[in-house]
Amino acid sequence: MSFKDDINVVFKNDPAAKSIFEVGLYPSIHAVFWYRIAHKLWKCKCITLARWISQCARFCTGIEIHPGAKIGKGFFIDHGMGVVIGETAEIGDNCLLYHNVTLGGVNLSKTKRHPTLGNNVVVGAGAKVLGNIIIGDNVRIGANSVVLKDVPSDSVVVGVPGRVVEKEKKEEVEADRLSQACGVDPEEDIIKLLCNKVRELEEKVNNLEK
């Protein structure tokens, strides 16, 4: 994956991008560029230098990507401030993360403790994906969701904790790639169901009283 490819990914995923010069100012571009250098050093066992580069990039961009993380091609972070990607996280191809996303761990073990994202995954602003879990291909995770369990491919996940609320095809995800699944509200559906049930029970009670 070259720096030119990273630039082209921005134009694909950000309708606000107008020129190469403007895109070159994006903090996410800088963060990914320095991550790729740090990751190569990490694989060569130059741990201290890799971590130093990672921390400098974090200080300058507000995006923290551990040099040990594995990230595929076509990766883009929109806005980027507050994004944290842990050491054993794995991200597939053509994934999109919004600001304040965390791919974090839930324990102190030195094994795989961060999530694995498949291809074409979109993670909405403020979402937390935690633990050694697998997020399938073509998944969309809604803004501010907290995902703690595996998610099957071609799904939309929202809520705290995150729940699969619908299935969709890959073409639908690509057609609406910038959507963060904010329009889906399972709590509202449950409340409506409960209200309807209460009305039914009230009618039954009224009929019995008559």
Side-chain angles (χ1 to χ4, degrees):
M1 188 73 178
S2 67
F3 185 65
K4 182 179 178 181
D5 293 328
D6 288 332
I7 292 287
N8 291 332
V9 166
V10 177
F11 284 105
K12 177 183 177 182
N13 290 285
D14 187 1
K18 296 178 177 60
S19 68
I20 292 179
F21 175 77
E22 180 190 11
V23 169
L25 299 175
Y26 279 33
S28 58
I29 286 292
H30 296 276
V32 172
F33 173 77
W34 288 112
Y35 153 76
R36 297 198 186 282
I37 293 175
H39 183 63
K40 289 181 180 179
L41 291 169
W42 183 270
K43 291 195 296 183
C44 293
K45 306 301 181 182
C46 299
I47 305 300
T48 302
L49 181 56
R51 289 289 284 168
W52 182 80
I53 291 174
S54 174
Q55 291 303 304
C56 288
R58 175 183 180 272
F59 177 80
C60 294
T61 65
I63 300 170
E64 181 173 345
I65 307 176
H66 194 286
K70 298 177 182 179
I71 300 176
K73 62 183 180 181
F75 177 64
F76 177 54
I77 305 173
D78 198 353
H79 296 291
M81 179 60 71
V83 167
V84 177
I85 300 175
E87 176 188 3
T88 60
E90 298 181 24
I91 301 175
D93 297 336
N94 304 313
C95 289
L96 169 62
L97 272 58
Y98 285 86
H99 54 282
N100 288 325
V101 165
T102 299
L103 304 183
V106 293
N107 58 58
L108 300 177
S109 66
K110 295 185 180 297
T111 56
K112 179 83 165 67
R113 61 189 183 281
H114 297 97
T116 297
L117 273 58
N119 300 322
N120 306 305
V121 174
V122 178
V123 186
K128 316 301 178 189
V129 186
L130 306 175
N132 182 19
I133 60 176
I134 297 176
I135 309 300
D137 296 339
N138 312 311
V139 168
R140 283 195 294 174
I141 298 174
N144 292 317
S145 299
V146 178
V147 184
L148 303 172
K149 296 181 179 179
D150 293 351
V151 177
S153 297
D154 307 307
S155 301
V156 174
V157 181
V158 299
V160 181
R163 294 177 297 279
V164 176
V165 294
E166 63 179 273
K167 290 275 193 174
E168 55 186 10
K169 298 177 182 178
K170 178 181 177 182
E171 302 80 50
E172 294 172 341
V173 174
E174 288 297 317
D176 197 15
R177 185 166 172 77
L178 297 184
S179 170
Q180 299 181 54
C182 297
V184 182
D185 188 354
E187 284 83 4
E188 180 181 4
D189 294 337
I190 292 171
I191 291 171
K192 287 180 178 178
L193 182 64
L194 289 173
C195 288
N196 291 334
K197 193 67 176 177
V198 169
R199 277 194 292 267
E200 290 177 7
L201 292 172
E202 285 178 342
E203 289 176 1
K204 290 181 179 179
V205 170
N206 290 332
N207 291 333
L208 289 173
E209 287 179 346
K210 291 178 181 180

